[in-house]
Amino acid sequence: MKKKQVFEGIIEKVEFPNKGRVYVSEEDCYVTVKNGIPGQKVRFVINKFKNRKAEGRLLEVIEPSPLETRKPVCSLFPACGGCMYQTMSYEAQLKMKAQQMKEIIDGALFPGREYEFEGIKASPKEFAYRNKMEFSFGDEYKDGPLSLGLHKKGSTYDVLTASDCKLVHSDMTEILQCVLEYFTELNAPYYKKMQHTGYLRHLLLRRGDATGEILVNLVTTTQEIYDLQPLVERLLELNLKGKIVGILHILNDSLSDVVQSDETKVLYGQDYFYEKLLNLEFKITPFSFFQPNSGGAEVLYSIVREYIGDIRNMTVFDLFSGTGTIGQILAPVAKQVIGVEIIEEAVEAARENASRNGLTNCRFIAGDVFKVLDEIEEKPDVIVLDPPRDGIHPKALPKILDYGVERIVYISCKATSLARDLEMIQGRGYEVVKCVAVDQFCETVHVETVCLLSKVNPSK
């Protein structure tokens, strides 16, 4: 097998997060091919081969999979990188994701360990579930007209206009279309990542599923100046089902392609919106973490509440706490909750949320978990972990485990990171009691996992 060779084969299975496995009989070798669906017959080109491990790039789908039982609901599928599994039934998606999660957890367990795998919980809504979407400005092909949407699969440059994206509420696509038309009329240039020139970077939209409140965030460089007041007026004239409560202009001259703020200007209204979860209200700012699927978050947090068990008269540490959603959901039945989060504006929102929800036994601290744990005098009885996608920093995890609490609930949005952390967690005397997957990200490759970890009885 050599690079640039072209083969055909059937995707036997797809491993998390998006790795199709194709057996090439003439080479007696499996090739990893991304962006496919189990059962598809595909043509692919080898782009990497070393030590009998091969990776290929999908060229075309020759025959659809038997699992593809429905038509796509979006005009950009399958080219758009936002969705992967629209042509599969939702039941088939759930079955595949559950199997992927179980295989990862099974593979991470120490020999002889057993646990209860509780399958996967569906999202209450399969489509229009996202309360946050980050759209990029660009073009669909080199020197093409301005586009605003999501990147093509496998591309870091080509951007497809997501005017009928079905992952978000129609209010968001209405706003996207309005913004795109405005800057197309002005012939405004988008920011080119390689040359570091241009004006338009991102459109970050956030919409409360329960409240209908919308926060519009336009992200640009400072390289050019445009009058944005006519855009504000156009946006406010849109006939939306929800209500725009804030329009922000975020200035970002960073060389890297990340959404961040050097300076934020409020063009209209306020710089936050409210969302409701499990009878609590949460104030959310542009960059504070909040689960992107509100209905799915209610399912997720209900499981966390169940897994953590009886916490009366107990101190709970909510680490990587974001806007404090988990801590506040647990606070009514705990002695106290202490949350730690590195993003300061999220912590400020968490404090305000706790006050707004009448919770006096919550404390939220801004800072790096690794450093903050040295400064907290209280000791936890139970710990909830909800780290970023890459998991817990290897320097912070030992400090967390040093507390020796009886129960830890670990929430992971990337199961391979969880599997890596489980090696140290088990080595420090914990076992996986039970685990469940929660589909927060329908049609995509991502899935949330919740693990209940318990201190091993020394008599075992």
Side-chain angles (χ1 to χ4, degrees):
M1 186 174 283
K2 297 176 182 177
K3 286 179 70 172
K4 297 187 178 180
Q5 269 188 287
V6 175
F7 294 97
E8 293 179 5
I10 293 173
I11 299 175
E12 294 184 7
K13 67 183 293 191
V14 173
E15 297 175 345
F16 179 83
N18 179 24
K19 298 176 180 177
R21 300 276 288 158
V22 183
Y23 181 67
V24 179
S25 56
E26 55 263 49
E27 299 287 341
D28 189 27
C29 175
Y30 275 96
V31 180
T32 298
V33 181
K34 292 184 176 181
N35 298 331
I37 288 173
Q40 285 178 334
K41 185 176 181 181
V42 295
R43 181 176 290 115
F44 56 94
V45 60
I46 302 299
N47 54 16
K48 200 172 184 181
F49 183 68
K50 189 176 182 181
N51 299 329
R52 299 290 297 165
K53 288 187 178 181
E55 294 179 12
R57 179 170 55 84
L58 182 68
L59 296 175
E60 69 170 311
V61 177
I62 301 169
E63 293 176 12
S65 163
L67 295 175
E68 294 182 88
T69 57
R70 61 184 188 180
K71 293 180 179 179
V73 295
C74 167
S75 62
L76 297 180
F77 186 85
C80 177
C83 284
M84 192 63 61
Y85 303 124
Q86 274 193 29
T87 50
M88 293 173 69
S89 71
Y90 190 42
E91 291 73 19
Q93 292 180 44
L94 290 173
K95 185 177 179 182
M96 179 182 70
K97 288 184 175 183
Q99 185 61 33
Q100 289 174 346
M101 295 305 101
K102 186 175 187 305
E103 287 180 1
I104 289 170
I105 302 302
D106 286 354
L109 291 186
F110 280 8
R113 297 284 177 89
E114 294 182 355
Y115 74 108
E116 181 184 358
F117 182 70
E118 297 188 317
I120 189 167
K121 304 292 184 184
S123 167
K125 290 200 291 190
E126 186 187 352
F127 294 103
Y129 61 84
R130 287 196 66 100
N131 59 44
K132 174 187 177 183
M133 193 62 109
E134 184 182 300
F135 295 113
S136 298
F137 287 94
D139 51 24
E140 294 191 15
Y141 52 90
K142 190 175 181 183
D143 299 324
L146 183 68
S147 58
L148 175 56
L150 301 169
H151 289 273
K152 280 185 183 177
K153 279 192 180 85
S155 172
T156 55
Y157 298 103
D158 301 336
V159 174
L160 302 172
T161 294
S163 55
D164 67 339
C165 177
K166 296 300 187 289
L167 298 185
V168 298
H169 192 280
S170 58
D171 282 354
M172 290 199 189
T173 49
E174 290 273 337
I175 291 167
L176 177 148
Q177 200 64 43
C178 175
V179 172
L180 177 60
E181 287 173 3
Y182 182 76
F183 286 112
T184 299
E185 290 168 14
L186 294 178
N187 200 28
Y190 72 88
Y191 179 75
K192 295 186 176 179
K193 290 177 280 190
M194 297 300 289
Q195 294 92 330
H196 307 303
T197 59
Y199 176 69
L200 299 165
R201 298 194 75 151
H202 299 95
L203 178 67
L204 172 62
L205 301 179
R206 306 194 74 159
R207 183 187 189 280
D209 192 49
T211 63
E213 294 189 353
I214 302 166
L215 197 59
V216 179
N217 307 273
L218 175 69
V219 186
T220 76
T221 68
T222 59
Q223 293 182 25
E224 299 192 20
I225 296 175
Y226 290 89
D227 182 7
L228 299 178
Q229 200 53 42
L231 173 61
V232 171
E233 292 168 6
R234 286 195 196 184
L235 287 170
L236 295 176
E237 288 171 0
L238 291 174
N239 184 23
L240 305 174
K241 294 181 176 65
K243 181 186 178 184
I244 295 175
V245 296
I247 302 173
L248 310 184
H249 182 200
I250 296 172
L251 303 174
N252 175 16
D253 284 319
S254 166
L255 295 181
S256 59
D257 189 33
V258 292
V259 178
Q260 66 181 47
S261 172
D262 298 334
E263 182 186 354
T264 298
K265 298 179 179 179
V266 179
L267 302 179
Y268 167 81
Q270 61 205 34
D271 61 353
Y272 59 88
F273 72 102
Y274 287 106
E275 177 63 310
K276 292 180 180 178
L277 284 184
L278 297 172
N279 299 317
L280 295 174
E281 191 168 60
F282 297 95
K283 176 184 177 181
I284 306 165
T285 52
F287 296 109
S288 57
F289 174 77
F290 193 84
Q291 289 288 350
N293 179 343
S294 297
E298 292 197 328
V299 174
L300 181 74
Y301 294 153
S302 296
I303 292 166
V304 173
R305 222 162 34 181
E306 175 200 332
Y307 274 22
I308 206 165
D310 185 357
I311 52 174
R312 283 175 297 179
N313 301 316
M314 289 188 179
T315 296
V316 180
F317 276 15
D318 176 16
L319 304 183
F320 314 98
S321 55
T323 48
T325 45
I326 294 174
Q328 290 173 68
I329 285 163
L330 299 177
V333 290
K335 177 185 173 184
Q336 66 172 334
V337 175
I338 299 173
V340 181
E341 167 61 47
I342 199 166
I343 299 173
E344 287 197 23
E345 73 169 55
V347 172
E348 288 170 13
R351 290 168 181 161
E352 190 173 326
N353 289 334
S355 175
R356 191 178 183 87
N357 289 316
L359 300 168
T360 57
N361 62 337
C362 289
R363 188 163 103 244
F364 295 98
I365 303 168
D368 188 325
V369 167
F370 175 66
K371 296 176 182 176
V372 170
L373 291 183
D374 291 333
E375 302 163 6
I376 302 175
E377 293 181 2
E378 294 92 339
K379 302 298 180 193
D381 297 298
V382 290
I383 295 174
V384 177
L385 303 170
D386 190 6
R389 191 170 293 278
D390 290 335
I392 303 170
H393 194 283
K395 286 185 178 179
L397 187 52
K399 281 191 181 181
I400 295 166
L401 298 173
D402 281 346
Y403 287 114
V405 298
E406 287 296 316
R407 298 191 303 280
I408 297 173
V409 176
Y410 190 133
I411 304 157
S412 172
C413 56
K414 186 179 179 184
T416 47
S417 297
L418 167 62
R420 182 204 66 215
D421 290 345
L422 280 177
E423 183 175 356
M424 183 186 292
I425 291 170
Q426 291 176 100
R428 294 287 298 273
Y430 287 86
E431 62 182 349
V432 178
V433 178
K434 53 185 175 180
C435 178
V436 67
V438 181
D439 190 25
Q440 291 269 66
F441 312 100
C442 320
E443 319 310 316
T444 79
V445 303
H446 304 293
V447 62
E448 207 91 4
T449 312
V450 187
C451 263
L452 172 60
L453 305 159
S454 179
K455 194 80 171 164
V456 177
N457 188 329
S459 63
K460 289 187 179 181

PDB file of all heavy atoms in Angstrom, residues 332-354:
ATOM      1  N   PRO A 332     -29.939  23.028  46.027  1.00  0.00           N
ATOM      2  CA  PRO A 332     -31.103  22.907  46.909  1.00  0.00           C
ATOM      3  C   PRO A 332     -31.082  21.675  47.821  1.00  0.00           C
ATOM      4  O   PRO A 332     -31.762  21.662  48.847  1.00  0.00           O
ATOM      5  CB  PRO A 332     -32.282  22.844  45.924  1.00  0.00           C
ATOM      6  CG  PRO A 332     -31.796  23.562  44.711  1.00  0.00           C
ATOM      7  CD  PRO A 332     -30.348  23.208  44.613  1.00  0.00           C
ATOM      8  N   VAL A 333     -30.304  20.661  47.453  1.00  0.00           N
ATOM      9  CA  VAL A 333     -30.282  19.440  48.272  1.00  0.00           C
ATOM     10  C   VAL A 333     -28.908  19.194  48.895  1.00  0.00           C
ATOM     11  O   VAL A 333     -28.667  18.125  49.456  1.00  0.00           O
ATOM     12  CB  VAL A 333     -30.713  18.199  47.448  1.00  0.00           C
ATOM     13  CG1 VAL A 333     -32.195  18.268  47.121  1.00  0.00           C
ATOM     14  CG2 VAL A 333     -29.892  18.083  46.162  1.00  0.00           C
ATOM     15  N   ALA A 334     -28.008  20.172  48.814  1.00  0.00           N
ATOM     16  CA  ALA A 334     -26.663  20.022  49.388  1.00  0.00           C
ATOM     17  C   ALA A 334     -26.467  21.005  50.535  1.00  0.00           C
ATOM     18  O   ALA A 334     -27.214  21.981  50.680  1.00  0.00           O
ATOM     19  CB  ALA A 334     -25.601  20.266  48.317  1.00  0.00           C
ATOM     20  N   LYS A 335     -25.442  20.746  51.358  1.00  0.00           N
ATOM     21  CA  LYS A 335     -25.066  21.694  52.398  1.00  0.00           C
ATOM     22  C   LYS A 335     -24.496  22.951  51.751  1.00  0.00           C
ATOM     23  O   LYS A 335     -24.899  24.068  52.057  1.00  0.00           O
ATOM     24  CB  LYS A 335     -24.035  21.059  53.332  1.00  0.00           C
ATOM     25  CG  LYS A 335     -23.507  21.994  54.414  1.00  0.00           C
ATOM     26  CD  LYS A 335     -22.400  21.310  55.203  1.00  0.00           C
ATOM     27  CE  LYS A 335     -21.737  22.269  56.188  1.00  0.00           C
ATOM     28  NZ  LYS A 335     -20.600  21.623  56.891  1.00  0.00           N
ATOM     29  N   GLN A 336     -23.533  22.758  50.848  1.00  0.00           N
ATOM     30  CA  GLN A 336     -22.980  23.874  50.096  1.00  0.00           C
ATOM     31  C   GLN A 336     -22.337  23.364  48.814  1.00  0.00           C
ATOM     32  O   GLN A 336     -21.949  22.203  48.718  1.00  0.00           O
ATOM     33  CB  GLN A 336     -21.947  24.648  50.926  1.00  0.00           C
ATOM     34  CG  GLN A 336     -20.691  23.881  51.258  1.00  0.00           C
ATOM     35  CD  GLN A 336     -19.628  24.762  51.906  1.00  0.00           C
ATOM     36  OE1 GLN A 336     -19.579  25.965  51.702  1.00  0.00           O
ATOM     37  NE2 GLN A 336     -18.742  24.136  52.678  1.00  0.00           N
ATOM     38  N   VAL A 337     -22.236  24.267  47.828  1.00  0.00           N
ATOM     39  CA  VAL A 337     -21.593  23.952  46.553  1.00  0.00           C
ATOM     40  C   VAL A 337     -20.520  24.990  46.292  1.00  0.00           C
ATOM     41  O   VAL A 337     -20.755  26.199  46.424  1.00  0.00           O
ATOM     42  CB  VAL A 337     -22.608  23.948  45.388  1.00  0.00           C
ATOM     43  CG1 VAL A 337     -21.893  23.739  44.059  1.00  0.00           C
ATOM     44  CG2 VAL A 337     -23.663  22.876  45.586  1.00  0.00           C
ATOM     45  N   ILE A 338     -19.324  24.526  45.944  1.00  0.00           N
ATOM     46  CA  ILE A 338     -18.233  25.422  45.565  1.00  0.00           C
ATOM     47  C   ILE A 338     -17.848  25.124  44.122  1.00  0.00           C
ATOM     48  O   ILE A 338     -17.442  24.010  43.796  1.00  0.00           O
ATOM     49  CB  ILE A 338     -17.016  25.241  46.504  1.00  0.00           C
ATOM     50  CG1 ILE A 338     -17.409  25.580  47.950  1.00  0.00           C
ATOM     51  CG2 ILE A 338     -15.857  26.118  46.035  1.00  0.00           C
ATOM     52  CD1 ILE A 338     -16.329  25.277  48.970  1.00  0.00           C
ATOM     53  N   GLY A 339     -18.006  26.118  43.257  1.00  0.00           N
ATOM     54  CA  GLY A 339     -17.683  25.955  41.838  1.00  0.00           C
ATOM     55  C   GLY A 339     -16.390  26.659  41.493  1.00  0.00           C
ATOM     56  O   GLY A 339     -16.086  27.724  42.028  1.00  0.00           O
ATOM     57  N   VAL A 340     -15.632  26.059  40.588  1.00  0.00           N
ATOM     58  CA  VAL A 340     -14.383  26.662  40.117  1.00  0.00           C
ATOM     59  C   VAL A 340     -14.405  26.692  38.597  1.00  0.00           C
ATOM     60  O   VAL A 340     -14.679  25.672  37.943  1.00  0.00           O
ATOM     61  CB  VAL A 340     -13.145  25.868  40.608  1.00  0.00           C
ATOM     62  CG1 VAL A 340     -11.861  26.551  40.118  1.00  0.00           C
ATOM     63  CG2 VAL A 340     -13.136  25.742  42.120  1.00  0.00           C
ATOM     64  N   GLU A 341     -14.113  27.857  38.029  1.00  0.00           N
ATOM     65  CA  GLU A 341     -14.154  28.053  36.575  1.00  0.00           C
ATOM     66  C   GLU A 341     -13.113  29.095  36.194  1.00  0.00           C
ATOM     67  O   GLU A 341     -12.968  30.121  36.864  1.00  0.00           O
ATOM     68  CB  GLU A 341     -15.552  28.508  36.152  1.00  0.00           C
ATOM     69  CG  GLU A 341     -15.671  29.039  34.742  1.00  0.00           C
ATOM     70  CD  GLU A 341     -15.294  28.018  33.681  1.00  0.00           C
ATOM     71  OE1 GLU A 341     -15.748  26.868  33.765  1.00  0.00           O
ATOM     72  OE2 GLU A 341     -14.534  28.396  32.763  1.00  0.00           O
ATOM     73  N   ILE A 342     -12.387  28.861  35.105  1.00  0.00           N
ATOM     74  CA  ILE A 342     -11.284  29.745  34.721  1.00  0.00           C
ATOM     75  C   ILE A 342     -11.751  31.016  34.013  1.00  0.00           C
ATOM     76  O   ILE A 342     -11.075  32.033  34.047  1.00  0.00           O
ATOM     77  CB  ILE A 342     -10.256  28.976  33.851  1.00  0.00           C
ATOM     78  CG1 ILE A 342      -8.918  29.717  33.835  1.00  0.00           C
ATOM     79  CG2 ILE A 342     -10.803  28.729  32.446  1.00  0.00           C
ATOM     80  CD1 ILE A 342      -7.758  28.888  33.310  1.00  0.00           C
ATOM     81  N   ILE A 343     -12.936  30.978  33.384  1.00  0.00           N
ATOM     82  CA  ILE A 343     -13.425  32.148  32.646  1.00  0.00           C
ATOM     83  C   ILE A 343     -14.165  33.074  33.603  1.00  0.00           C
ATOM     84  O   ILE A 343     -15.221  32.724  34.141  1.00  0.00           O
ATOM     85  CB  ILE A 343     -14.339  31.726  31.474  1.00  0.00           C
ATOM     86  CG1 ILE A 343     -13.562  30.847  30.488  1.00  0.00           C
ATOM     87  CG2 ILE A 343     -14.909  32.954  30.758  1.00  0.00           C
ATOM     88  CD1 ILE A 343     -14.412  30.242  29.398  1.00  0.00           C
ATOM     89  N   GLU A 344     -13.607  34.264  33.804  1.00  0.00           N
ATOM     90  CA  GLU A 344     -14.120  35.174  34.829  1.00  0.00           C
ATOM     91  C   GLU A 344     -15.547  35.627  34.558  1.00  0.00           C
ATOM     92  O   GLU A 344     -16.351  35.734  35.485  1.00  0.00           O
ATOM     93  CB  GLU A 344     -13.192  36.389  34.969  1.00  0.00           C
ATOM     94  CG  GLU A 344     -11.884  36.057  35.674  1.00  0.00           C
ATOM     95  CD  GLU A 344     -11.143  37.291  36.177  1.00  0.00           C
ATOM     96  OE1 GLU A 344     -11.802  38.326  36.374  1.00  0.00           O
ATOM     97  OE2 GLU A 344      -9.922  37.194  36.365  1.00  0.00           O
ATOM     98  N   GLU A 345     -15.873  35.911  33.310  1.00  0.00           N
ATOM     99  CA  GLU A 345     -17.221  36.394  33.031  1.00  0.00           C
ATOM    100  C   GLU A 345     -18.259  35.306  33.289  1.00  0.00           C
ATOM    101  O   GLU A 345     -19.397  35.590  33.673  1.00  0.00           O
ATOM    102  CB  GLU A 345     -17.349  36.959  31.610  1.00  0.00           C
ATOM    103  CG  GLU A 345     -17.353  35.954  30.489  1.00  0.00           C
ATOM    104  CD  GLU A 345     -17.755  36.596  29.160  1.00  0.00           C
ATOM    105  OE1 GLU A 345     -17.128  37.580  28.741  1.00  0.00           O
ATOM    106  OE2 GLU A 345     -18.702  36.092  28.550  1.00  0.00           O
ATOM    107  N   ALA A 346     -17.861  34.032  33.123  1.00  0.00           N
ATOM    108  CA  ALA A 346     -18.763  32.921  33.445  1.00  0.00           C
ATOM    109  C   ALA A 346     -19.002  32.849  34.949  1.00  0.00           C
ATOM    110  O   ALA A 346     -20.117  32.585  35.403  1.00  0.00           O
ATOM    111  CB  ALA A 346     -18.186  31.608  32.936  1.00  0.00           C
ATOM    112  N   VAL A 347     -17.949  33.095  35.716  1.00  0.00           N
ATOM    113  CA  VAL A 347     -18.069  33.080  37.186  1.00  0.00           C
ATOM    114  C   VAL A 347     -18.964  34.217  37.663  1.00  0.00           C
ATOM    115  O   VAL A 347     -19.810  34.036  38.548  1.00  0.00           O
ATOM    116  CB  VAL A 347     -16.671  33.149  37.846  1.00  0.00           C
ATOM    117  CG1 VAL A 347     -16.790  33.320  39.353  1.00  0.00           C
ATOM    118  CG2 VAL A 347     -15.878  31.899  37.517  1.00  0.00           C
ATOM    119  N   GLU A 348     -18.792  35.394  37.077  1.00  0.00           N
ATOM    120  CA  GLU A 348     -19.651  36.528  37.434  1.00  0.00           C
ATOM    121  C   GLU A 348     -21.114  36.191  37.147  1.00  0.00           C
ATOM    122  O   GLU A 348     -22.006  36.493  37.951  1.00  0.00           O
ATOM    123  CB  GLU A 348     -19.222  37.768  36.649  1.00  0.00           C
ATOM    124  CG  GLU A 348     -17.891  38.356  37.115  1.00  0.00           C
ATOM    125  CD  GLU A 348     -17.376  39.433  36.182  1.00  0.00           C
ATOM    126  OE1 GLU A 348     -18.167  39.898  35.325  1.00  0.00           O
ATOM    127  OE2 GLU A 348     -16.197  39.811  36.293  1.00  0.00           O
ATOM    128  N   ALA A 349     -21.347  35.562  35.987  1.00  0.00           N
ATOM    129  CA  ALA A 349     -22.716  35.160  35.635  1.00  0.00           C
ATOM    130  C   ALA A 349     -23.230  34.108  36.604  1.00  0.00           C
ATOM    131  O   ALA A 349     -24.397  34.131  37.010  1.00  0.00           O
ATOM    132  CB  ALA A 349     -22.752  34.636  34.197  1.00  0.00           C
ATOM    133  N   ALA A 350     -22.360  33.167  37.004  1.00  0.00           N
ATOM    134  CA  ALA A 350     -22.759  32.117  37.948  1.00  0.00           C
ATOM    135  C   ALA A 350     -23.188  32.715  39.283  1.00  0.00           C
ATOM    136  O   ALA A 350     -24.196  32.304  39.873  1.00  0.00           O
ATOM    137  CB  ALA A 350     -21.611  31.132  38.153  1.00  0.00           C
ATOM    138  N   ARG A 351     -22.433  33.687  39.760  1.00  0.00           N
ATOM    139  CA  ARG A 351     -22.776  34.339  41.033  1.00  0.00           C
ATOM    140  C   ARG A 351     -24.119  35.050  40.933  1.00  0.00           C
ATOM    141  O   ARG A 351     -24.958  34.970  41.839  1.00  0.00           O
ATOM    142  CB  ARG A 351     -21.671  35.328  41.412  1.00  0.00           C
ATOM    143  CG  ARG A 351     -20.361  34.665  41.822  1.00  0.00           C
ATOM    144  CD  ARG A 351     -19.232  35.675  41.901  1.00  0.00           C
ATOM    145  NE  ARG A 351     -17.959  35.044  42.273  1.00  0.00           N
ATOM    146  CZ  ARG A 351     -16.772  35.597  42.072  1.00  0.00           C
ATOM    147  NH1 ARG A 351     -16.682  36.786  41.485  1.00  0.00           N
ATOM    148  NH2 ARG A 351     -15.673  34.959  42.448  1.00  0.00           N
ATOM    149  N   GLU A 352     -24.297  35.761  39.820  1.00  0.00           N
ATOM    150  CA  GLU A 352     -25.561  36.477  39.636  1.00  0.00           C
ATOM    151  C   GLU A 352     -26.721  35.499  39.493  1.00  0.00           C
ATOM    152  O   GLU A 352     -27.819  35.733  40.020  1.00  0.00           O
ATOM    153  CB  GLU A 352     -25.469  37.380  38.398  1.00  0.00           C
ATOM    154  CG  GLU A 352     -26.638  38.322  38.265  1.00  0.00           C
ATOM    155  CD  GLU A 352     -26.465  39.326  37.138  1.00  0.00           C
ATOM    156  OE1 GLU A 352     -25.319  39.752  36.895  1.00  0.00           O
ATOM    157  OE2 GLU A 352     -27.470  39.680  36.501  1.00  0.00           O
ATOM    158  N   ASN A 353     -26.466  34.379  38.779  1.00  0.00           N
ATOM    159  CA  ASN A 353     -27.504  33.364  38.611  1.00  0.00           C
ATOM    160  C   ASN A 353     -27.931  32.788  39.955  1.00  0.00           C
ATOM    161  O   ASN A 353     -29.114  32.589  40.222  1.00  0.00           O
ATOM    162  CB  ASN A 353     -27.005  32.237  37.706  1.00  0.00           C
ATOM    163  CG  ASN A 353     -26.866  32.677  36.258  1.00  0.00           C
ATOM    164  OD1 ASN A 353     -27.542  33.606  35.820  1.00  0.00           O
ATOM    165  ND2 ASN A 353     -25.983  32.023  35.519  1.00  0.00           N
ATOM    166  N   ALA A 354     -26.958  32.476  40.803  1.00  0.00           N
ATOM    167  CA  ALA A 354     -27.263  31.902  42.119  1.00  0.00           C
ATOM    168  C   ALA A 354     -28.106  32.872  42.941  1.00  0.00           C
ATOM    169  O   ALA A 354     -29.079  32.473  43.601  1.00  0.00           O
ATOM    170  CB  ALA A 354     -25.967  31.563  42.845  1.00  0.00           C
TER     171      ALA A 354
END
